[in-house]
Amino acid sequence: MALVAAADFPPPGDLPARKSFPDPLTTFAGEKVTTKEVWLKERRPELKELFQRYMYGRLPESGKVTGVVKYEDKQAFGGKGTLREVELQIDAFGKTNALQIYLMIALPNAPVGAVPTFVGPNFGGNHLYTTDPNIRIPEAWMYDKYPGVKNNQATKEGRGLATDVWPLEVIIGRGYGVATFYNGDVQPDRPNVDEGFRKLMPKPKGDGPDDATATIMSWAWGVSRCADYLSTISEVDAKRLAVVGHSRLGKTALLAGAFDERFALVLPHQAGCGGTGPSRHDDPKAEGVKRINTAFPHWFSTSFKAFNDATEKLPFDQHCLAALCAPRPMLYTNATDDLWANPSGQFEMLKLATPVYELLGVTGLEATTMSPPNKLIESRLGYFIRPGKHAMTPDDWKAFMAFADKWLKK
Ligand code: GCU
């Protein structure tokens, strides 16, 4: 099959316009993909290239990850579990220990043995999700709107203020491990390129494509470094890692799942535009490409800005990112009031990713219409919408764990 070499992908303006959603099973050069082998060896890598070239920027190489346990309580949660914080020292861009991620890990004390584990970035720092005074307060820049933040710095005032967002004790009570870190450990959520991951990155060369790693890709890279570490500890089952994140971090969870097959289950929560929601849409209530690129210019690559008024030129849409997760189970979760995240558009994306799952010999979304609130569609491509607003709540965790019970616990 004739594939277009990545270096020959044209500048965005020269791409052909297609109003309808591009077929994940037709190559950039227009050839139909009819076998699993061609999907795995050719079309899947091609789509990864296209997403890096035109939307998220490059996924950098991974370096060595060394975990140093900074704190451990083996009798946490009233003796039911272990709470630990590990400094991940990550080699990157030719530098030893270039970047540190502080990964908070909660594990059940029983059953003993490798447990399926949720992993994902959080907003505002690990200390928000436990009252344990030994969990570190992040030093990186963060938004003032997060609990306990003063002058863009986390303070101990925030400790334990968001324990329902990552309900550690409930999760371990269900026999799962859970591991999370502040996304700003990798890259603070602002356009500044003089900090975090983007400071370490080699500066893009003048005449190349505008595909330098953007912030969401850097966060996804960070989640994969956590998987590197978690795969080395005996309490975690490396074959049963579920990647999870909310909103911009849901976009991150999906991207990490699409590019890193070690995530056996993918849980992007209320991720919407730039993640689970389509770029091609004209729903005024849902976020669009121009708006997201204007409000958050650092999230996506410079090349993605060229599609602000030309989404029809994108050589993919977000169902193709979903398809990169095939054949692994994945659940899109939403809230009825959160139209900004485009719950119905997301459902369409799952429908359109389904043929790729089928080509790989499994079923995808087994529903033709969106489920009513609180009714989980638990097919391999799953869907859930609950009443209420944009937030990650204990009810969302119930849905994540019900889906994980089906797909990660045989
Ligand atoms: C904004 C943004 C969304 C994003 C959300 C969040 O609303 O427009 O794209 O998902 O923030 O991360 O909470």
Side-chain angles (χ1 to χ4, degrees), residues 360-378:
L360 299 186
V362 295
T363 49
L365 180 68
E366 294 181 76
T368 48
T369 52
M370 265 169 74
S371 44
N374 287 331
K375 170 114 185 49
L376 176 66
I377 296 175
E378 55 173 16

Side-chain angles (χ1 to χ4, degrees), residues 247-248 251 287 292 296 299 340 390:
S247 208
R248 66 199 69 184
K251 309 180 207 298
E287 186 173 25
I292 203 168
F296 304 100
W299 284 359
W340 188 241
H390 188 73

Side-chain angles (χ1 to χ4, degrees), residues 275-319:
T276 48
S279 295
R280 285 170 178 77
H281 76 79
D282 49 18
D283 177 352
K285 295 201 177 71
E287 186 173 25
V289 167
K290 186 173 189 170
R291 164 64 211 246
I292 203 168
N293 274 333
T294 310
F296 304 100
H298 52 295
W299 284 359
F300 303 97
S301 65
T302 305
S303 52
F304 194 49
K305 313 307 183 266
F307 300 96
N308 279 352
D309 294 306
T311 52
E312 70 283 357
K313 288 196 168 234
L314 281 164
F316 46 71
D317 214 303
Q318 296 308 98
H319 59 308

Side-chain angles (χ1 to χ4, degrees), residues 13-29:
D14 295 350
L15 290 164
R18 27 190 151 189
K19 283 244 178 289
S20 56
F21 291 116
D23 179 8
L25 292 175
T26 298
T27 66
F28 187 78

Side-chain angles (χ1 to χ4, degrees), residues 368-401:
T368 48
T369 52
M370 265 169 74
S371 44
N374 287 331
K375 170 114 185 49
L376 176 66
I377 296 175
E378 55 173 16
S379 47
R380 188 173 275 264
L381 281 176
Y383 189 85
F384 176 76
I385 188 162
R386 61 153 170 82
K389 295 193 192 342
H390 188 73
M392 191 152 90
T393 69
D395 281 343
D396 297 317
W397 277 100
K398 276 188 198 154
F400 304 160
M401 289 190 284

Side-chain angles (χ1 to χ4, degrees), residues 315-363:
F316 46 71
D317 214 303
Q318 296 308 98
H319 59 308
C320 297
L321 195 64
L324 288 177
C325 296
R328 291 164 289 148
M330 174 157 72
L331 177 67
Y332 282 9
T333 45
N334 279 289
T336 50
D337 296 348
D338 187 14
L339 299 178
W340 188 241
N342 200 349
S344 57
Q346 293 187 37
F347 189 79
E348 274 323 291
M349 295 295 91
L350 291 179
K351 271 192 197 167
L352 294 175
T354 290
V356 176
Y357 277 70
E358 290 172 349
L359 182 72
L360 299 186
V362 295
T363 49

